[in-house]
Amino acid sequence: METFRKHGSICIQGEIEVPGDKSISHRAVILGSIASGTTKVENFLDGEDCMRTVEAFRSMGVTIKKDKNTLLIYGNGIRGLREPLKPLYFGNSGTTARLMLGLLSGMPFSATVYGDESLTKRPMDRVLEPLKKMGASVLGRQNNCYLPLTISGGDLHGITHTMSINSAQVKSSILLAGLNASGLTKVIENNRTRNHTENMLRAFGANINVVDNEITMDTTSELHATDIYVPGDISSAAFLIAAAAIKPNSDLLIKNIGLNETRTGFLDILAKMGSRVDILNRRDIGGEEIGDVHITYHPLKAVTVEGDIIPRLIDEIPIIALIATQANGRTIIRNAEELRVKETDRIKAVVDVLSTLGAKIHGTEDGMIIEGVTPLSGGNVKSYSDHRIAMMTIIASLITQDDVRIDDVSSISISYPKFKDDLNSVISTN
Ligand code: S3P
């Protein structure tokens, strides 16, 4: 149990950088490991999730040297992974699990994979169904749908898959399988999801082609190592940006954040709610857009968050819900049923935490409804061992009247190990 509250009148001020992007860090390790040559990854996120991906490749014979946030990956080539001697442990990381299942299904060996309690409950059939159609065979719990799973493959053929859910993990899993499949692998998206896999596959020289919402992968005999700079993670920055959005007199500059359009829905919503958000120094690094985000406090008004924007801000919905408690009017979030199968059921967790703290919020099947402006009190809450719920609750404690006691915040190290220090470094007294 840890207690949080800031005494006195504070605001968020200053200039800061946040750690590297989690999604891009995973993909850099995956592609670097199966490329020919040495890939240098700078600003790698050494949170627990991405380290699971590193460990998985080390277990399959890839040498990966790490010096602080720089990785040197001595790639084994596209068909050079070694059969792992032991089951691969993916911890809490859904991205590792789903992307690796895709890659492993194209390897000429079997691998058993497992995860922590949360990952063991998360659905894997969304990737296994298309992978089985491509020729992979899978054995696992509950009708071969849940971890632990054993996957065997090696003789895949391409398929055309029209996405029934909006998931970059599913899309990426199929594309990684497609690298080693005969013929064309095509993924058709209804709503665009984060496209880091496509961008990075292109940068490594894969036979990939993207036209509108159709991505086509052809068998690829070799990927070429390339150096990668990982931009700051907008999903981590979102917590600090939110703090500035809800604390009067705040003025915060966050430098070198990834601004890939498939990830910036949160900034669009904040601007709609009335915050002043300016983007400076926009540039492209290795096919990914990057820039500085300047946020200044302005009073907030409610919004409706729904439809196409949802995949562009899916991980930011917990923090948007907190911001909405301080926005004038009724905020409605819908079409976000995917939150039910994240690290925890995030609709249930957000509603539980914020209502315990005095917010007027209720959950719906696919989202939530929040009434603002509502002052928050304090209380004892559970973080559900979910990093984004823990960070959202700590940001909430900046505006509560009383102490907020959180059962456990250790999950923060999954995506943002130095979150508490970074937050403290931008808190000023008014
Ligand atoms: C991710 C995709 C999203 C996101 C997750 C990271 C990725 O999940 O929520 O945190 O790196 O591809 P889904 O693909 O399940 O939407």
PDB file of all heavy atoms in Angstrom, residues 8-28:
ATOM      1  N   GLY A   8      -0.666  21.515  -0.617  1.00  0.00           N
ATOM      2  CA  GLY A   8      -0.449  22.883  -1.079  1.00  0.00           C
ATOM      3  C   GLY A   8      -0.864  23.043  -2.526  1.00  0.00           C
ATOM      4  O   GLY A   8      -1.329  22.103  -3.171  1.00  0.00           O
ATOM      5  N   SER A   9      -0.667  24.232  -3.033  1.00  0.00           N
ATOM      6  CA  SER A   9      -1.121  24.530  -4.382  1.00  0.00           C
ATOM      7  C   SER A   9       0.025  24.263  -5.370  1.00  0.00           C
ATOM      8  O   SER A   9       1.087  24.858  -5.270  1.00  0.00           O
ATOM      9  CB  SER A   9      -1.549  25.998  -4.396  1.00  0.00           C
ATOM     10  OG  SER A   9      -1.669  26.423  -5.699  1.00  0.00           O
ATOM     11  N   ILE A  10      -0.204  23.347  -6.302  1.00  0.00           N
ATOM     12  CA  ILE A  10       0.865  22.976  -7.235  1.00  0.00           C
ATOM     13  C   ILE A  10       0.403  23.105  -8.687  1.00  0.00           C
ATOM     14  O   ILE A  10      -0.799  23.135  -8.974  1.00  0.00           O
ATOM     15  CB  ILE A  10       1.340  21.523  -7.004  1.00  0.00           C
ATOM     16  CG1 ILE A  10       0.156  20.546  -7.153  1.00  0.00           C
ATOM     17  CG2 ILE A  10       2.015  21.347  -5.653  1.00  0.00           C
ATOM     18  CD1 ILE A  10       0.599  19.168  -7.551  1.00  0.00           C
ATOM     19  N   CYS A  11       1.364  23.170  -9.574  1.00  0.00           N
ATOM     20  CA  CYS A  11       1.059  23.085 -11.001  1.00  0.00           C
ATOM     21  C   CYS A  11       2.172  22.278 -11.675  1.00  0.00           C
ATOM     22  O   CYS A  11       3.135  21.886 -11.019  1.00  0.00           O
ATOM     23  CB  CYS A  11       0.932  24.476 -11.610  1.00  0.00           C
ATOM     24  SG  CYS A  11       2.447  25.429 -11.486  1.00  0.00           S
ATOM     25  N   ILE A  12       2.023  22.040 -12.974  1.00  0.00           N
ATOM     26  CA  ILE A  12       3.002  21.229 -13.712  1.00  0.00           C
ATOM     27  C   ILE A  12       3.761  22.185 -14.630  1.00  0.00           C
ATOM     28  O   ILE A  12       3.161  22.856 -15.469  1.00  0.00           O
ATOM     29  CB  ILE A  12       2.273  20.132 -14.537  1.00  0.00           C
ATOM     30  CG1 ILE A  12       1.368  19.271 -13.634  1.00  0.00           C
ATOM     31  CG2 ILE A  12       3.259  19.266 -15.317  1.00  0.00           C
ATOM     32  CD1 ILE A  12       2.067  18.476 -12.567  1.00  0.00           C
ATOM     33  N   GLN A  13       5.057  22.231 -14.462  1.00  0.00           N
ATOM     34  CA  GLN A  13       5.880  23.201 -15.209  1.00  0.00           C
ATOM     35  C   GLN A  13       7.174  22.541 -15.626  1.00  0.00           C
ATOM     36  O   GLN A  13       7.705  21.733 -14.882  1.00  0.00           O
ATOM     37  CB  GLN A  13       6.273  24.365 -14.272  1.00  0.00           C
ATOM     38  CG  GLN A  13       5.153  25.241 -13.794  1.00  0.00           C
ATOM     39  CD  GLN A  13       4.894  26.409 -14.720  1.00  0.00           C
ATOM     40  OE1 GLN A  13       5.690  26.663 -15.622  1.00  0.00           O
ATOM     41  NE2 GLN A  13       3.792  27.108 -14.530  1.00  0.00           N
ATOM     42  N   GLY A  14       7.713  22.961 -16.766  1.00  0.00           N
ATOM     43  CA  GLY A  14       9.066  22.541 -17.113  1.00  0.00           C
ATOM     44  C   GLY A  14       9.160  21.837 -18.449  1.00  0.00           C
ATOM     45  O   GLY A  14       8.240  21.877 -19.276  1.00  0.00           O
ATOM     46  N   GLU A  15      10.284  21.160 -18.610  1.00  0.00           N
ATOM     47  CA  GLU A  15      10.631  20.504 -19.880  1.00  0.00           C
ATOM     48  C   GLU A  15      11.116  19.107 -19.534  1.00  0.00           C
ATOM     49  O   GLU A  15      11.892  18.947 -18.591  1.00  0.00           O
ATOM     50  CB  GLU A  15      11.785  21.321 -20.477  1.00  0.00           C
ATOM     51  CG  GLU A  15      11.998  21.094 -21.927  1.00  0.00           C
ATOM     52  CD  GLU A  15      13.149  21.964 -22.436  1.00  0.00           C
ATOM     53  OE1 GLU A  15      13.038  23.205 -22.396  1.00  0.00           O
ATOM     54  OE2 GLU A  15      14.146  21.361 -22.855  1.00  0.00           O
ATOM     55  N   ILE A  16      10.680  18.121 -20.269  1.00  0.00           N
ATOM     56  CA  ILE A  16      11.047  16.742 -19.916  1.00  0.00           C
ATOM     57  C   ILE A  16      11.020  15.848 -21.155  1.00  0.00           C
ATOM     58  O   ILE A  16      10.389  16.198 -22.157  1.00  0.00           O
ATOM     59  CB  ILE A  16      10.076  16.214 -18.813  1.00  0.00           C
ATOM     60  CG1 ILE A  16      10.598  14.909 -18.215  1.00  0.00           C
ATOM     61  CG2 ILE A  16       8.658  16.056 -19.323  1.00  0.00           C
ATOM     62  CD1 ILE A  16       9.987  14.568 -16.874  1.00  0.00           C
ATOM     63  N   GLU A  17      11.723  14.714 -21.071  1.00  0.00           N
ATOM     64  CA  GLU A  17      11.604  13.673 -22.107  1.00  0.00           C
ATOM     65  C   GLU A  17      11.070  12.432 -21.434  1.00  0.00           C
ATOM     66  O   GLU A  17      11.387  12.184 -20.273  1.00  0.00           O
ATOM     67  CB  GLU A  17      12.971  13.355 -22.705  1.00  0.00           C
ATOM     68  CG  GLU A  17      13.417  14.355 -23.739  1.00  0.00           C
ATOM     69  CD  GLU A  17      14.600  13.850 -24.566  1.00  0.00           C
ATOM     70  OE1 GLU A  17      14.473  12.804 -25.217  1.00  0.00           O
ATOM     71  OE2 GLU A  17      15.635  14.532 -24.530  1.00  0.00           O
ATOM     72  N   VAL A  18      10.280  11.654 -22.134  1.00  0.00           N
ATOM     73  CA  VAL A  18       9.776  10.409 -21.550  1.00  0.00           C
ATOM     74  C   VAL A  18      10.506   9.226 -22.197  1.00  0.00           C
ATOM     75  O   VAL A  18      11.111   9.373 -23.255  1.00  0.00           O
ATOM     76  CB  VAL A  18       8.242  10.267 -21.738  1.00  0.00           C
ATOM     77  CG1 VAL A  18       7.512  11.349 -20.961  1.00  0.00           C
ATOM     78  CG2 VAL A  18       7.858  10.283 -23.203  1.00  0.00           C
ATOM     79  N   PRO A  19      10.465   8.044 -21.582  1.00  0.00           N
ATOM     80  CA  PRO A  19      11.179   6.887 -22.144  1.00  0.00           C
ATOM     81  C   PRO A  19      10.644   6.473 -23.514  1.00  0.00           C
ATOM     82  O   PRO A  19       9.549   6.871 -23.912  1.00  0.00           O
ATOM     83  CB  PRO A  19      10.922   5.776 -21.126  1.00  0.00           C
ATOM     84  CG  PRO A  19      10.375   6.426 -19.919  1.00  0.00           C
ATOM     85  CD  PRO A  19       9.779   7.726 -20.332  1.00  0.00           C
ATOM     86  N   GLY A  20      11.436   5.636 -24.170  1.00  0.00           N
ATOM     87  CA  GLY A  20      11.123   5.201 -25.530  1.00  0.00           C
ATOM     88  C   GLY A  20       9.793   4.469 -25.638  1.00  0.00           C
ATOM     89  O   GLY A  20       9.285   3.892 -24.665  1.00  0.00           O
ATOM     90  N   ASP A  21       9.269   4.468 -26.844  1.00  0.00           N
ATOM     91  CA  ASP A  21       7.961   3.885 -27.123  1.00  0.00           C
ATOM     92  C   ASP A  21       7.985   2.363 -26.950  1.00  0.00           C
ATOM     93  O   ASP A  21       8.864   1.674 -27.474  1.00  0.00           O
ATOM     94  CB  ASP A  21       7.576   4.240 -28.568  1.00  0.00           C
ATOM     95  CG  ASP A  21       6.168   3.851 -28.887  1.00  0.00           C
ATOM     96  OD1 ASP A  21       5.277   4.673 -28.655  1.00  0.00           O
ATOM     97  OD2 ASP A  21       5.957   2.709 -29.347  1.00  0.00           O
ATOM     98  N   LYS A  22       6.986   1.872 -26.236  1.00  0.00           N
ATOM     99  CA  LYS A  22       6.939   0.436 -25.933  1.00  0.00           C
ATOM    100  C   LYS A  22       6.695  -0.382 -27.209  1.00  0.00           C
ATOM    101  O   LYS A  22       7.396  -1.354 -27.464  1.00  0.00           O
ATOM    102  CB  LYS A  22       5.821   0.197 -24.902  1.00  0.00           C
ATOM    103  CG  LYS A  22       5.662  -1.230 -24.452  1.00  0.00           C
ATOM    104  CD  LYS A  22       5.002  -1.320 -23.101  1.00  0.00           C
ATOM    105  CE  LYS A  22       3.504  -1.204 -23.125  1.00  0.00           C
ATOM    106  NZ  LYS A  22       2.807  -2.336 -23.757  1.00  0.00           N
ATOM    107  N   SER A  23       5.725   0.033 -28.003  1.00  0.00           N
ATOM    108  CA  SER A  23       5.408  -0.736 -29.220  1.00  0.00           C
ATOM    109  C   SER A  23       6.609  -0.782 -30.169  1.00  0.00           C
ATOM    110  O   SER A  23       6.944  -1.830 -30.730  1.00  0.00           O
ATOM    111  CB  SER A  23       4.230  -0.096 -29.955  1.00  0.00           C
ATOM    112  OG  SER A  23       3.072  -0.173 -29.190  1.00  0.00           O
ATOM    113  N   ILE A  24       7.272   0.361 -30.335  1.00  0.00           N
ATOM    114  CA  ILE A  24       8.402   0.415 -31.279  1.00  0.00           C
ATOM    115  C   ILE A  24       9.590  -0.363 -30.711  1.00  0.00           C
ATOM    116  O   ILE A  24      10.310  -1.056 -31.449  1.00  0.00           O
ATOM    117  CB  ILE A  24       8.745   1.885 -31.605  1.00  0.00           C
ATOM    118  CG1 ILE A  24       7.550   2.536 -32.308  1.00  0.00           C
ATOM    119  CG2 ILE A  24      10.006   1.986 -32.465  1.00  0.00           C
ATOM    120  CD1 ILE A  24       7.732   4.007 -32.661  1.00  0.00           C
ATOM    121  N   SER A  25       9.796  -0.293 -29.389  1.00  0.00           N
ATOM    122  CA  SER A  25      10.904  -1.048 -28.788  1.00  0.00           C
ATOM    123  C   SER A  25      10.741  -2.557 -29.024  1.00  0.00           C
ATOM    124  O   SER A  25      11.699  -3.243 -29.389  1.00  0.00           O
ATOM    125  CB  SER A  25      10.984  -0.768 -27.285  1.00  0.00           C
ATOM    126  OG  SER A  25      11.346   0.581 -27.055  1.00  0.00           O
ATOM    127  N   HIS A  26       9.528  -3.075 -28.816  1.00  0.00           N
ATOM    128  CA  HIS A  26       9.305  -4.513 -29.069  1.00  0.00           C
ATOM    129  C   HIS A  26       9.664  -4.865 -30.506  1.00  0.00           C
ATOM    130  O   HIS A  26      10.342  -5.852 -30.787  1.00  0.00           O
ATOM    131  CB  HIS A  26       7.813  -4.856 -28.921  1.00  0.00           C
ATOM    132  CG  HIS A  26       7.327  -5.025 -27.520  1.00  0.00           C
ATOM    133  ND1 HIS A  26       7.805  -5.997 -26.678  1.00  0.00           N
ATOM    134  CD2 HIS A  26       6.370  -4.381 -26.821  1.00  0.00           C
ATOM    135  CE1 HIS A  26       7.156  -5.934 -25.515  1.00  0.00           C
ATOM    136  NE2 HIS A  26       6.282  -4.953 -25.575  1.00  0.00           N
ATOM    137  N   ARG A  27       9.151  -4.050 -31.427  1.00  0.00           N
ATOM    138  CA  ARG A  27       9.335  -4.372 -32.842  1.00  0.00           C
ATOM    139  C   ARG A  27      10.801  -4.281 -33.253  1.00  0.00           C
ATOM    140  O   ARG A  27      11.277  -5.043 -34.097  1.00  0.00           O
ATOM    141  CB  ARG A  27       8.455  -3.445 -33.694  1.00  0.00           C
ATOM    142  CG  ARG A  27       6.961  -3.834 -33.581  1.00  0.00           C
ATOM    143  CD  ARG A  27       6.049  -2.680 -33.802  1.00  0.00           C
ATOM    144  NE  ARG A  27       4.644  -3.037 -33.882  1.00  0.00           N
ATOM    145  CZ  ARG A  27       3.825  -3.178 -32.835  1.00  0.00           C
ATOM    146  NH1 ARG A  27       4.282  -3.026 -31.612  1.00  0.00           N
ATOM    147  NH2 ARG A  27       2.550  -3.488 -33.008  1.00  0.00           N
ATOM    148  N   ALA A  28      11.540  -3.334 -32.644  1.00  0.00           N
ATOM    149  CA  ALA A  28      12.966  -3.202 -32.971  1.00  0.00           C
ATOM    150  C   ALA A  28      13.714  -4.472 -32.566  1.00  0.00           C
ATOM    151  O   ALA A  28      14.597  -4.957 -33.292  1.00  0.00           O
ATOM    152  CB  ALA A  28      13.545  -1.984 -32.250  1.00  0.00           C
TER     153      ALA A  28
END
